[in-house]
């Protein structure tokens, strides 16, 4: 059973999501929130598996909620919901800590697919978003002999994932991920992950 918390400041949209998902036998809607503060109050009581998060909300927007979740190290996955489609906006959502992204006009089938994949695999991105992120990393491969696997590791590091989380998402050991990280730092002549994140952002890789 996948436990969901739905957060959106528009009641009609929340009720629409609940109506779409309530008949799914493997999905349980454990609560709903209309503000960022309500989200955090609900999380103090019980953690869902997945938070469906509207990015534009009163008192705390989705970016601030994501930063707070990361700071408090809540063990939940976040599927960001928004009408924004620009590449920069999507990249900023991912950098803030979202594990997946969907436009609000997405159909029911895609929504359910995103929820299930996010729960089972730890992340969900449409083919368009995946292509966007890979395109941002092309220069990395061309200029520094970074392997495709190392590109994935860089992408996940920039998104704020820990070594353990990266290992789980790529189905590798923590030792292997740490080896990849050290190889990347060596190739780029950097000292640590913080420098890697700054460097990647400056180069427009993520």
């Amino acid at each position: 059973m996948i436990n969901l918390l739905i957060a959106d400041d528009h009641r009609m949209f929340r009720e629409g999501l609940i109506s779409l998902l309530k008949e799914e036998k493997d999905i349980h809607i454990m609560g709903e929130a209309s503000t960022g503060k309500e989200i955090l109050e609900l999380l103090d009581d019980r953690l869902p598996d997945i938070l469906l998060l509207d990015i534009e909300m009163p008192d705390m927007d989705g970016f601030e909620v994501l930063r707070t979740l990361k700071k408090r190290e809540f063990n939940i996955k976040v599927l960001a919901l928004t009408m924004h489609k620009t590449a920069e906006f999507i990249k900023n959502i991912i950098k803030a800590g979202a594990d997946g992204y969907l436009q609000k006009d997405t159909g029911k089938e895609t929504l359910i697919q995103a929820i299930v994949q996010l729960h089972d695999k730890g992340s969900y991105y449409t083919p368009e978003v995946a292509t966007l992120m890979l395109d941002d990393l092309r220069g990395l491969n061309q200029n520094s002999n970074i392997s495709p696997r190392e590109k994935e590791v860089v992408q996940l590091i920039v998104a704020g994932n820990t070594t353990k989380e990266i290992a789980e998402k790529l189905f590798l050991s923590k030792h292997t991920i740490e080896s990849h990280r050290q190889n990347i730092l060596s190739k780029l002549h950097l000292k640590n992950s913080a420098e890697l994140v700054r460097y990647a952002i400056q180069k427009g890789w993520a």
Side-chain angles (χ1 to χ4, degrees):
M1 182 66 69
I2 304 173
N3 292 307
L4 292 185
L5 173 60
I6 297 175
D8 193 286
D9 63 323
H10 291 95
R11 179 178 177 182
M12 185 177 297
F13 186 77
R14 291 198 315 274
E15 291 179 348
L17 286 177
I18 293 171
S19 178
L20 283 175
L21 298 171
K22 66 181 180 180
E23 300 300 328
E24 296 299 314
K25 62 180 181 179
D26 295 326
I27 296 175
H28 169 65
I29 299 171
M30 55 165 280
E32 56 180 296
S34 60
T35 69
K37 289 183 179 179
E38 285 183 11
I39 294 172
L40 299 180
E41 289 173 358
L42 289 169
L43 294 182
D44 284 337
D45 180 54
R46 181 186 175 193
L47 295 182
D49 298 307
I50 295 175
L51 167 63
L52 301 187
L53 176 65
D54 178 24
I55 297 301
E56 297 180 347
M57 291 187 301
D59 74 51
M60 292 176 67
D61 65 17
F63 289 101
E64 188 174 354
V65 171
L66 284 166
R67 288 191 291 269
T68 302
L69 296 181
K70 185 183 297 185
K71 183 178 180 180
R72 296 190 185 182
E73 298 183 341
F74 283 124
N75 185 28
I76 60 176
K77 298 297 180 182
V78 179
L79 182 61
L81 303 174
T82 178
M83 291 303 296
H84 291 280
K85 303 178 182 180
T86 66
E88 191 65 26
F89 191 89
I90 295 170
K91 286 188 288 185
N92 286 336
I93 290 174
I94 296 168
K95 290 175 189 175
D99 303 288
Y101 158 86
L102 274 182
Q103 293 176 212
K104 283 190 172 183
D105 56 0
T106 296
K108 177 181 178 180
E109 184 176 340
T110 301
L111 174 61
I112 294 172
Q113 177 187 358
I115 292 170
V116 172
Q117 184 171 321
L118 187 57
H119 180 264
D120 293 345
K121 298 184 178 180
S123 63
Y124 174 82
Y125 301 108
T126 63
E128 293 79 11
V129 173
T131 298
L132 168 67
M133 294 191 297
L134 288 175
D135 284 346
D136 281 341
L137 291 169
R138 282 177 180 170
L140 179 61
N141 188 47
Q142 294 171 352
N143 298 325
S144 53
N145 295 318
I146 298 294
S147 71
R149 175 62 80 186
E150 288 170 339
K151 286 199 295 185
E152 289 183 280
V153 173
V154 171
Q155 178 181 325
L156 290 168
I157 289 173
V158 173
N161 293 276
T162 65
T163 297
K164 180 181 178 182
E165 290 170 337
I166 296 172
E168 291 174 350
K169 291 180 179 182
L170 299 182
F171 302 100
L172 298 170
S173 70
K174 290 193 291 184
H175 176 74
T176 298
I177 297 303
E178 184 58 28
S179 294
H180 281 313
R181 190 182 74 87
Q182 292 298 334
N183 289 337
I184 294 165
L185 293 175
S186 177
K187 290 178 180 180
L188 297 176
H189 307 290
L190 300 172
K191 294 180 180 179
N192 51 47
S193 294
E195 288 190 2
L196 174 60
V197 171
R198 288 195 294 270
Y199 188 82
I201 293 173
Q202 288 170 359
K203 293 295 183 181
W205 295 341

PDB file of all heavy atoms in Angstrom, residues 173-195:
ATOM      1  N   SER A 173      26.190  -0.562  -4.818  1.00  0.00           N
ATOM      2  CA  SER A 173      26.619  -0.480  -3.422  1.00  0.00           C
ATOM      3  C   SER A 173      27.085   0.935  -3.096  1.00  0.00           C
ATOM      4  O   SER A 173      27.474   1.708  -3.986  1.00  0.00           O
ATOM      5  CB  SER A 173      27.764  -1.468  -3.163  1.00  0.00           C
ATOM      6  OG  SER A 173      28.941  -1.038  -3.816  1.00  0.00           O
ATOM      7  N   LYS A 174      27.072   1.275  -1.812  1.00  0.00           N
ATOM      8  CA  LYS A 174      27.563   2.579  -1.387  1.00  0.00           C
ATOM      9  C   LYS A 174      29.046   2.725  -1.720  1.00  0.00           C
ATOM     10  O   LYS A 174      29.505   3.821  -2.072  1.00  0.00           O
ATOM     11  CB  LYS A 174      27.334   2.763   0.120  1.00  0.00           C
ATOM     12  CG  LYS A 174      25.870   2.928   0.499  1.00  0.00           C
ATOM     13  CD  LYS A 174      25.722   3.422   1.925  1.00  0.00           C
ATOM     14  CE  LYS A 174      26.131   2.362   2.916  1.00  0.00           C
ATOM     15  NZ  LYS A 174      25.890   2.799   4.317  1.00  0.00           N
ATOM     16  N   HIS A 175      29.785   1.629  -1.637  1.00  0.00           N
ATOM     17  CA  HIS A 175      31.217   1.663  -1.972  1.00  0.00           C
ATOM     18  C   HIS A 175      31.425   2.036  -3.435  1.00  0.00           C
ATOM     19  O   HIS A 175      32.313   2.833  -3.765  1.00  0.00           O
ATOM     20  CB  HIS A 175      31.852   0.303  -1.683  1.00  0.00           C
ATOM     21  CG  HIS A 175      33.290   0.214  -2.094  1.00  0.00           C
ATOM     22  ND1 HIS A 175      34.314   0.831  -1.390  1.00  0.00           N
ATOM     23  CD2 HIS A 175      33.876  -0.393  -3.163  1.00  0.00           C
ATOM     24  CE1 HIS A 175      35.469   0.595  -1.998  1.00  0.00           C
ATOM     25  NE2 HIS A 175      35.222  -0.145  -3.070  1.00  0.00           N
ATOM     26  N   THR A 176      30.595   1.475  -4.320  1.00  0.00           N
ATOM     27  CA  THR A 176      30.709   1.781  -5.755  1.00  0.00           C
ATOM     28  C   THR A 176      30.394   3.249  -6.020  1.00  0.00           C
ATOM     29  O   THR A 176      31.091   3.913  -6.803  1.00  0.00           O
ATOM     30  CB  THR A 176      29.754   0.892  -6.566  1.00  0.00           C
ATOM     31  OG1 THR A 176      30.117  -0.476  -6.375  1.00  0.00           O
ATOM     32  CG2 THR A 176      29.828   1.227  -8.055  1.00  0.00           C
ATOM     33  N   ILE A 177      29.359   3.767  -5.363  1.00  0.00           N
ATOM     34  CA  ILE A 177      28.997   5.175  -5.551  1.00  0.00           C
ATOM     35  C   ILE A 177      30.118   6.078  -5.057  1.00  0.00           C
ATOM     36  O   ILE A 177      30.467   7.080  -5.698  1.00  0.00           O
ATOM     37  CB  ILE A 177      27.690   5.506  -4.814  1.00  0.00           C
ATOM     38  CG1 ILE A 177      26.528   4.697  -5.394  1.00  0.00           C
ATOM     39  CG2 ILE A 177      27.386   7.009  -4.907  1.00  0.00           C
ATOM     40  CD1 ILE A 177      26.301   4.888  -6.881  1.00  0.00           C
ATOM     41  N   GLU A 178      30.717   5.737  -3.922  1.00  0.00           N
ATOM     42  CA  GLU A 178      31.813   6.537  -3.389  1.00  0.00           C
ATOM     43  C   GLU A 178      33.014   6.510  -4.334  1.00  0.00           C
ATOM     44  O   GLU A 178      33.697   7.526  -4.518  1.00  0.00           O
ATOM     45  CB  GLU A 178      32.216   6.034  -2.006  1.00  0.00           C
ATOM     46  CG  GLU A 178      33.281   6.863  -1.326  1.00  0.00           C
ATOM     47  CD  GLU A 178      32.900   8.323  -1.133  1.00  0.00           C
ATOM     48  OE1 GLU A 178      31.684   8.618  -1.018  1.00  0.00           O
ATOM     49  OE2 GLU A 178      33.797   9.185  -1.101  1.00  0.00           O
ATOM     50  N   SER A 179      33.256   5.360  -4.962  1.00  0.00           N
ATOM     51  CA  SER A 179      34.348   5.261  -5.944  1.00  0.00           C
ATOM     52  C   SER A 179      34.078   6.153  -7.146  1.00  0.00           C
ATOM     53  O   SER A 179      34.982   6.841  -7.641  1.00  0.00           O
ATOM     54  CB  SER A 179      34.526   3.803  -6.402  1.00  0.00           C
ATOM     55  OG  SER A 179      34.958   2.987  -5.341  1.00  0.00           O
ATOM     56  N   HIS A 180      32.821   6.145  -7.614  1.00  0.00           N
ATOM     57  CA  HIS A 180      32.440   7.024  -8.725  1.00  0.00           C
ATOM     58  C   HIS A 180      32.665   8.490  -8.341  1.00  0.00           C
ATOM     59  O   HIS A 180      33.193   9.277  -9.129  1.00  0.00           O
ATOM     60  CB  HIS A 180      30.969   6.819  -9.095  1.00  0.00           C
ATOM     61  CG  HIS A 180      30.705   5.608  -9.941  1.00  0.00           C
ATOM     62  ND1 HIS A 180      31.454   5.296 -11.044  1.00  0.00           N
ATOM     63  CD2 HIS A 180      29.759   4.634  -9.832  1.00  0.00           C
ATOM     64  CE1 HIS A 180      30.984   4.189 -11.596  1.00  0.00           C
ATOM     65  NE2 HIS A 180      29.965   3.766 -10.872  1.00  0.00           N
ATOM     66  N   ARG A 181      32.244   8.843  -7.129  1.00  0.00           N
ATOM     67  CA  ARG A 181      32.376  10.233  -6.681  1.00  0.00           C
ATOM     68  C   ARG A 181      33.844  10.655  -6.651  1.00  0.00           C
ATOM     69  O   ARG A 181      34.195  11.749  -7.124  1.00  0.00           O
ATOM     70  CB  ARG A 181      31.759  10.394  -5.286  1.00  0.00           C
ATOM     71  CG  ARG A 181      31.616  11.845  -4.832  1.00  0.00           C
ATOM     72  CD  ARG A 181      31.042  11.919  -3.420  1.00  0.00           C
ATOM     73  NE  ARG A 181      32.042  11.526  -2.435  1.00  0.00           N
ATOM     74  CZ  ARG A 181      32.926  12.361  -1.893  1.00  0.00           C
ATOM     75  NH1 ARG A 181      32.933  13.649  -2.221  1.00  0.00           N
ATOM     76  NH2 ARG A 181      33.794  11.936  -1.009  1.00  0.00           N
ATOM     77  N   GLN A 182      34.698   9.801  -6.118  1.00  0.00           N
ATOM     78  CA  GLN A 182      36.117  10.125  -6.058  1.00  0.00           C
ATOM     79  C   GLN A 182      36.725  10.240  -7.455  1.00  0.00           C
ATOM     80  O   GLN A 182      37.565  11.120  -7.714  1.00  0.00           O
ATOM     81  CB  GLN A 182      36.858   9.053  -5.248  1.00  0.00           C
ATOM     82  CG  GLN A 182      36.524   9.044  -3.762  1.00  0.00           C
ATOM     83  CD  GLN A 182      36.913  10.344  -3.067  1.00  0.00           C
ATOM     84  OE1 GLN A 182      37.810  11.061  -3.500  1.00  0.00           O
ATOM     85  NE2 GLN A 182      36.221  10.657  -1.974  1.00  0.00           N
ATOM     86  N   ASN A 183      36.315   9.367  -8.379  1.00  0.00           N
ATOM     87  CA  ASN A 183      36.812   9.437  -9.760  1.00  0.00           C
ATOM     88  C   ASN A 183      36.391  10.735 -10.434  1.00  0.00           C
ATOM     89  O   ASN A 183      37.174  11.366 -11.160  1.00  0.00           O
ATOM     90  CB  ASN A 183      36.297   8.246 -10.573  1.00  0.00           C
ATOM     91  CG  ASN A 183      36.954   6.942 -10.168  1.00  0.00           C
ATOM     92  OD1 ASN A 183      38.052   6.937  -9.610  1.00  0.00           O
ATOM     93  ND2 ASN A 183      36.295   5.830 -10.450  1.00  0.00           N
ATOM     94  N   ILE A 184      35.137  11.143 -10.188  1.00  0.00           N
ATOM     95  CA  ILE A 184      34.636  12.389 -10.772  1.00  0.00           C
ATOM     96  C   ILE A 184      35.427  13.580 -10.245  1.00  0.00           C
ATOM     97  O   ILE A 184      35.854  14.460 -11.007  1.00  0.00           O
ATOM     98  CB  ILE A 184      33.133  12.562 -10.456  1.00  0.00           C
ATOM     99  CG1 ILE A 184      32.318  11.473 -11.154  1.00  0.00           C
ATOM    100  CG2 ILE A 184      32.642  13.948 -10.895  1.00  0.00           C
ATOM    101  CD1 ILE A 184      30.900  11.346 -10.622  1.00  0.00           C
ATOM    102  N   LEU A 185      35.622  13.616  -8.935  1.00  0.00           N
ATOM    103  CA  LEU A 185      36.374  14.712  -8.324  1.00  0.00           C
ATOM    104  C   LEU A 185      37.791  14.770  -8.877  1.00  0.00           C
ATOM    105  O   LEU A 185      38.334  15.854  -9.142  1.00  0.00           O
ATOM    106  CB  LEU A 185      36.414  14.555  -6.804  1.00  0.00           C
ATOM    107  CG  LEU A 185      35.073  14.704  -6.058  1.00  0.00           C
ATOM    108  CD1 LEU A 185      35.250  14.407  -4.577  1.00  0.00           C
ATOM    109  CD2 LEU A 185      34.495  16.102  -6.255  1.00  0.00           C
ATOM    110  N   SER A 186      38.396  13.601  -9.058  1.00  0.00           N
ATOM    111  CA  SER A 186      39.762  13.547  -9.591  1.00  0.00           C
ATOM    112  C   SER A 186      39.819  14.081 -11.020  1.00  0.00           C
ATOM    113  O   SER A 186      40.711  14.863 -11.375  1.00  0.00           O
ATOM    114  CB  SER A 186      40.282  12.107  -9.535  1.00  0.00           C
ATOM    115  OG  SER A 186      41.574  12.021 -10.098  1.00  0.00           O
ATOM    116  N   LYS A 187      38.876  13.648 -11.855  1.00  0.00           N
ATOM    117  CA  LYS A 187      38.857  14.087 -13.250  1.00  0.00           C
ATOM    118  C   LYS A 187      38.640  15.594 -13.378  1.00  0.00           C
ATOM    119  O   LYS A 187      39.167  16.232 -14.292  1.00  0.00           O
ATOM    120  CB  LYS A 187      37.761  13.343 -14.015  1.00  0.00           C
ATOM    121  CG  LYS A 187      38.043  11.862 -14.252  1.00  0.00           C
ATOM    122  CD  LYS A 187      36.892  11.188 -14.975  1.00  0.00           C
ATOM    123  CE  LYS A 187      37.174   9.714 -15.202  1.00  0.00           C
ATOM    124  NZ  LYS A 187      36.065   9.033 -15.904  1.00  0.00           N
ATOM    125  N   LEU A 188      37.840  16.147 -12.446  1.00  0.00           N
ATOM    126  CA  LEU A 188      37.519  17.573 -12.513  1.00  0.00           C
ATOM    127  C   LEU A 188      38.439  18.415 -11.633  1.00  0.00           C
ATOM    128  O   LEU A 188      38.299  19.639 -11.584  1.00  0.00           O
ATOM    129  CB  LEU A 188      36.065  17.801 -12.089  1.00  0.00           C
ATOM    130  CG  LEU A 188      35.000  17.153 -12.970  1.00  0.00           C
ATOM    131  CD1 LEU A 188      33.623  17.370 -12.386  1.00  0.00           C
ATOM    132  CD2 LEU A 188      35.065  17.681 -14.395  1.00  0.00           C
ATOM    133  N   HIS A 189      39.362  17.751 -10.938  1.00  0.00           N
ATOM    134  CA  HIS A 189      40.317  18.448 -10.060  1.00  0.00           C
ATOM    135  C   HIS A 189      39.599  19.256  -8.987  1.00  0.00           C
ATOM    136  O   HIS A 189      39.926  20.425  -8.723  1.00  0.00           O
ATOM    137  CB  HIS A 189      41.245  19.363 -10.877  1.00  0.00           C
ATOM    138  CG  HIS A 189      41.935  18.649 -11.997  1.00  0.00           C
ATOM    139  ND1 HIS A 189      42.932  17.715 -11.794  1.00  0.00           N
ATOM    140  CD2 HIS A 189      41.751  18.706 -13.342  1.00  0.00           C
ATOM    141  CE1 HIS A 189      43.343  17.236 -12.959  1.00  0.00           C
ATOM    142  NE2 HIS A 189      42.652  17.823 -13.910  1.00  0.00           N
ATOM    143  N   LEU A 190      38.606  18.606  -8.354  1.00  0.00           N
ATOM    144  CA  LEU A 190      37.840  19.232  -7.288  1.00  0.00           C
ATOM    145  C   LEU A 190      38.100  18.495  -5.970  1.00  0.00           C
ATOM    146  O   LEU A 190      38.509  17.337  -5.967  1.00  0.00           O
ATOM    147  CB  LEU A 190      36.347  19.207  -7.625  1.00  0.00           C
ATOM    148  CG  LEU A 190      35.942  19.942  -8.912  1.00  0.00           C
ATOM    149  CD1 LEU A 190      34.485  19.693  -9.237  1.00  0.00           C
ATOM    150  CD2 LEU A 190      36.228  21.433  -8.799  1.00  0.00           C
ATOM    151  N   LYS A 191      37.816  19.172  -4.837  1.00  0.00           N
ATOM    152  CA  LYS A 191      38.150  18.612  -3.533  1.00  0.00           C
ATOM    153  C   LYS A 191      37.004  17.839  -2.888  1.00  0.00           C
ATOM    154  O   LYS A 191      37.241  16.861  -2.169  1.00  0.00           O
ATOM    155  CB  LYS A 191      38.589  19.738  -2.592  1.00  0.00           C
ATOM    156  CG  LYS A 191      39.883  20.420  -3.004  1.00  0.00           C
ATOM    157  CD  LYS A 191      40.230  21.528  -2.013  1.00  0.00           C
ATOM    158  CE  LYS A 191      41.531  22.228  -2.410  1.00  0.00           C
ATOM    159  NZ  LYS A 191      41.874  23.330  -1.458  1.00  0.00           N
ATOM    160  N   ASN A 192      35.769  18.275  -3.094  1.00  0.00           N
ATOM    161  CA  ASN A 192      34.657  17.634  -2.396  1.00  0.00           C
ATOM    162  C   ASN A 192      33.350  17.821  -3.165  1.00  0.00           C
ATOM    163  O   ASN A 192      33.313  18.489  -4.206  1.00  0.00           O
ATOM    164  CB  ASN A 192      34.521  18.199  -0.975  1.00  0.00           C
ATOM    165  CG  ASN A 192      34.482  19.723  -0.953  1.00  0.00           C
ATOM    166  OD1 ASN A 192      33.745  20.335  -1.733  1.00  0.00           O
ATOM    167  ND2 ASN A 192      35.291  20.335  -0.091  1.00  0.00           N
ATOM    168  N   SER A 193      32.264  17.239  -2.624  1.00  0.00           N
ATOM    169  CA  SER A 193      30.965  17.292  -3.296  1.00  0.00           C
ATOM    170  C   SER A 193      30.414  18.702  -3.379  1.00  0.00           C
ATOM    171  O   SER A 193      29.725  19.054  -4.344  1.00  0.00           O
ATOM    172  CB  SER A 193      29.968  16.387  -2.577  1.00  0.00           C
ATOM    173  OG  SER A 193      30.343  15.036  -2.686  1.00  0.00           O
ATOM    174  N   ALA A 194      30.701  19.525  -2.359  1.00  0.00           N
ATOM    175  CA  ALA A 194      30.218  20.910  -2.386  1.00  0.00           C
ATOM    176  C   ALA A 194      30.813  21.659  -3.580  1.00  0.00           C
ATOM    177  O   ALA A 194      30.110  22.396  -4.284  1.00  0.00           O
ATOM    178  CB  ALA A 194      30.582  21.616  -1.084  1.00  0.00           C
ATOM    179  N   GLU A 195      32.103  21.450  -3.827  1.00  0.00           N
ATOM    180  CA  GLU A 195      32.744  22.075  -4.989  1.00  0.00           C
ATOM    181  C   GLU A 195      32.166  21.507  -6.279  1.00  0.00           C
ATOM    182  O   GLU A 195      31.996  22.241  -7.266  1.00  0.00           O
ATOM    183  CB  GLU A 195      34.257  21.851  -4.950  1.00  0.00           C
ATOM    184  CG  GLU A 195      34.979  22.662  -3.887  1.00  0.00           C
ATOM    185  CD  GLU A 195      36.491  22.594  -4.030  1.00  0.00           C
ATOM    186  OE1 GLU A 195      36.970  21.932  -4.982  1.00  0.00           O
ATOM    187  OE2 GLU A 195      37.191  23.207  -3.202  1.00  0.00           O
TER     188      GLU A 195
END
